[in-house]
């Protein structure tokens, strides 16, 4: 940032009073000791003309006149003192840096207020981008976490189910596997095992009952989860 060393203000930091000529230390004019202001009666149009010529005192007068209004406008929209002061400082910095190319079509007031509004919008857009990024990161992390938990639960449930199937009686286990894993009908199972369809139905009912009991404690009584496996 260009050092605007022509502003002879005393600024009071935490460590005490010190003399500063750096624009970066600009603060509210009300917080600064009174100093002679030779351009207090000069019109805005004349100040703008003098500013284009590089008149430091013209810039100082513009700063005194418009700092409160720009600060108020920005603070009402941002509700952040730090962001507001940064925006106001940026507006005045650009005003000085672009003084030779300064073109005001309406009035100095309208020019500065418009510059402040655009600076506020730019600040809000940057904050929105940062907020969206933070939310996207949080959602991604949450999804990854949830996905990991679901994968672990699914794997544990699968192991528990397989253990329950292995504990079934031989004929009962065969009927269950043919029904649920090979997706055979009761008639097809009866033909393959050379038993009646009624026997197939009984074996399948017993298998489901035993598996539900073995999974009840693991699933904490979540009936819909059990049903989804059968």
């Amino acid at each position: 940032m260009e050092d605007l060393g022509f502003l002879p203000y005393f600024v009071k930091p935490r460590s005490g009073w010190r003399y500063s000529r750096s624009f970066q230390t600009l603060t509210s004019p009300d917080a600064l000791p009174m100093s002679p202001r030779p351009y207090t009666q000069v019109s805005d149009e004349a100040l703008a003309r003098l500013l284009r010529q590089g008149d430091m005192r013209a810039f100082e007068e513009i700063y005194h006149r418009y700092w409160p209004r720009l600060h108020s406008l920005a603070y009402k929209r941002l509700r952040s003192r730090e962001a507001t002061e940064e925006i106001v400082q940026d507006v005045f910095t650009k005003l000085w840096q672009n003084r030779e190319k300064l073109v005001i079509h309406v009035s100095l007031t309208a020019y500065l207020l418009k510059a402040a509004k655009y600076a506020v919008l730019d600040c809000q857009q940057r904050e929105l981008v940062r907020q969206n990024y933070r939310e996207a990161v949080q959602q991604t992390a949450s999804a990854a976490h949830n996905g990991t938990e679901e994968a672990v639960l699914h794997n544990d449930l699968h192991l528990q189910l397989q253990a329950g199937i292995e504990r079934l009686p031989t004929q009962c286990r065969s009927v269950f596997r043919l029904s649920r894993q090979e997706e055979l009908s009761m008639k097809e199972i009866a033909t393959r095992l050379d038993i009646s369809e009624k026997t197939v139905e009984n074996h399948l009912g017993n298998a489901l009952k035993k598996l539900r009991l073995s999974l009840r404690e693991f699933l904490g009584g979540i009936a819909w989860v059990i049903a989804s496996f059968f």
Side-chain angles (χ1 to χ4, degrees):
M1 179 181 294
E2 181 180 353
D3 181 17
L4 306 185
F6 54 81
L7 295 176
Y9 293 138
F10 282 93
V11 182
K12 187 178 182 181
R14 294 179 181 177
S15 58
W17 288 100
R18 66 182 176 84
Y19 185 71
S20 173
R21 285 183 173 272
S22 171
F23 183 69
Q24 297 184 23
T25 60
L26 283 179
T27 184
S28 167
D30 295 335
L32 301 173
M34 294 297 294
S35 60
R37 293 170 54 189
Y39 287 171
T40 55
Q41 303 302 317
V42 177
S43 67
D44 282 356
E45 292 77 7
L47 286 175
R49 185 171 59 254
L50 292 168
L51 178 63
R52 281 193 293 269
Q53 298 170 4
D55 192 313
M56 300 175 183
R57 292 174 298 178
F59 178 87
E60 180 180 351
E61 180 60 33
I62 293 171
Y63 168 74
H64 273 86
R65 287 186 190 182
Y66 287 100
W67 189 96
R69 291 188 64 177
L70 301 190
H71 187 279
S72 177
L73 181 150
Y75 186 76
K76 285 180 180 179
R77 289 164 171 77
L78 299 176
R79 294 298 176 184
S80 167
R81 191 170 302 279
E82 181 179 352
T84 295
E85 291 178 355
E86 181 179 344
I87 281 178
V88 174
Q89 174 175 306
D90 187 58
V91 169
F92 281 112
T93 299
K94 290 179 179 178
L95 178 67
W96 174 256
Q97 291 174 337
N98 300 319
R99 61 190 179 278
E100 295 179 358
K101 300 178 291 184
L102 184 64
V103 177
I104 299 177
H105 297 290
V106 184
S107 66
L108 182 60
T109 301
Y111 178 89
L112 291 174
L113 291 177
K114 184 176 181 180
K117 288 177 181 178
Y118 278 123
V120 168
L121 288 175
D122 184 59
C123 178
Q124 291 174 326
Q125 289 174 352
R126 291 197 305 271
E127 179 57 31
L128 181 60
V129 170
R130 287 193 291 266
Q131 181 178 344
N132 289 339
Y133 174 76
R134 288 193 296 267
E135 291 178 355
V137 170
Q138 291 174 355
Q139 290 174 0
T140 300
S142 177
H145 178 70
N146 292 337
T148 301
E149 287 187 342
E150 290 175 2
V152 171
L153 176 61
H154 184 274
N155 184 64
D156 289 347
L157 182 59
H158 177 73
L159 293 176
Q160 187 75 9
L161 178 60
Q162 292 304 314
I165 293 173
E166 291 300 324
R167 289 193 296 269
L168 293 173
T170 303
Q171 189 81 318
C172 189
R173 181 171 64 248
S174 297
V175 169
F176 180 84
R177 284 177 170 169
L178 290 173
S179 173
R180 293 302 187 262
Q181 295 176 359
E182 297 188 29
E183 299 182 353
L184 298 182
S185 66
M186 289 191 181
K187 184 176 181 179
E188 291 171 330
I189 295 172
T191 300
R192 179 175 295 192
L193 297 180
D194 194 22
I195 56 178
S196 67
E197 291 186 34
K198 183 63 175 177
T199 302
V200 171
E201 182 179 350
N202 290 337
H203 279 312
L204 187 57
N206 289 334
L208 294 176
K209 181 178 179 180
K210 291 179 182 296
L211 290 174
R212 287 192 181 98
L213 290 174
S214 68
L215 293 177
R216 179 177 298 170
E217 181 178 352
F218 176 77
L219 294 171
I222 307 177
W224 66 269
V225 177
I226 299 175
S228 69
F229 282 88
F230 306 122

